Amino acid sequence: TSTTLCTLTLCLSDNSIDDDGAEVLVTQGTFEKLRTLTLTLGLNKIGDTGATALATLGTLRKLHTLTLNLYYNRIEAAGATALARLGTSTMLHTLTLNLSGNKIKDAGAEALATLKTSTTLHELTLALRRCEIRDAGAEALATLGTSR
């Protein structure tokens, strides 16, 4: 079935979606024509494998704006590192990641700080409340405002 949708907002927070569910969303979803996608998957059971699957959304050729609300899941540094690869997308101009309440720690924060090297991102919003980030992670994130 063909769709004319250019923008999709899907809120599935506070359910029991795990890594398999996140993978199904990405592989079974018909998102290839979307320019703007907002997925709210907070308060679920998504871990690093699910975050890695969601990071593949960056390969969508028409997607310019992506918001992933993944607050209070089970994502750790490996998942944050996978999500940081969204910065390599050739079309993504605006990225919002809410990883609040996930234990990404300093290693995850340092990975997310590499988003500053993206050549296509113009707007970046990171929500990292209660992520067990310490001084090293904060120092890395402080470099986001520096030029590439």
Side-chain angles (χ1 to χ4, degrees), residues 30 35 75 85 104:
T30 53
R35 293 176 186 256
I75 299 167
R85 288 195 284 275
I104 68 166

Side-chain angles (χ1 to χ4, degrees), residues 81 84 104-115 135-141:
T81 300
I104 68 166
K105 301 185 178 181
D106 285 342
E110 290 165 356
L112 292 170
T114 66
L115 286 165
D135 291 347
E139 186 176 332
L141 291 168

Side-chain angles (χ1 to χ4, degrees), residues 65-147:
T65 302
L66 176 62
T67 299
L68 293 175
N69 290 307
L70 300 171
Y71 51 89
Y72 292 94
N73 274 282
R74 298 176 179 172
I75 299 167
E76 296 183 1
T81 300
L83 291 167
R85 288 195 284 275
L86 285 165
T88 64
S89 169
T90 57
M91 295 302 291
L92 209 54
H93 297 291
T94 303
L95 176 62
T96 300
L97 293 175
N98 183 344
L99 296 174
S100 294
N102 289 285
K103 296 179 181 181
I104 68 166
K105 301 185 178 181
D106 285 342
E110 290 165 356
L112 292 170
T114 66
L115 286 165
K116 73 178 178 186
T117 63
S118 173
T119 58
T120 58
L121 280 180
H122 299 287
E123 293 182 39
L124 174 64
T125 302
L126 297 175
L128 302 174
R129 182 176 177 265
R130 293 184 166 231
C131 288
E132 299 185 14
I133 296 168
R134 302 189 71 138
D135 291 347
E139 186 176 332
L141 291 168
T143 67
L144 281 168
T146 60
S147 58

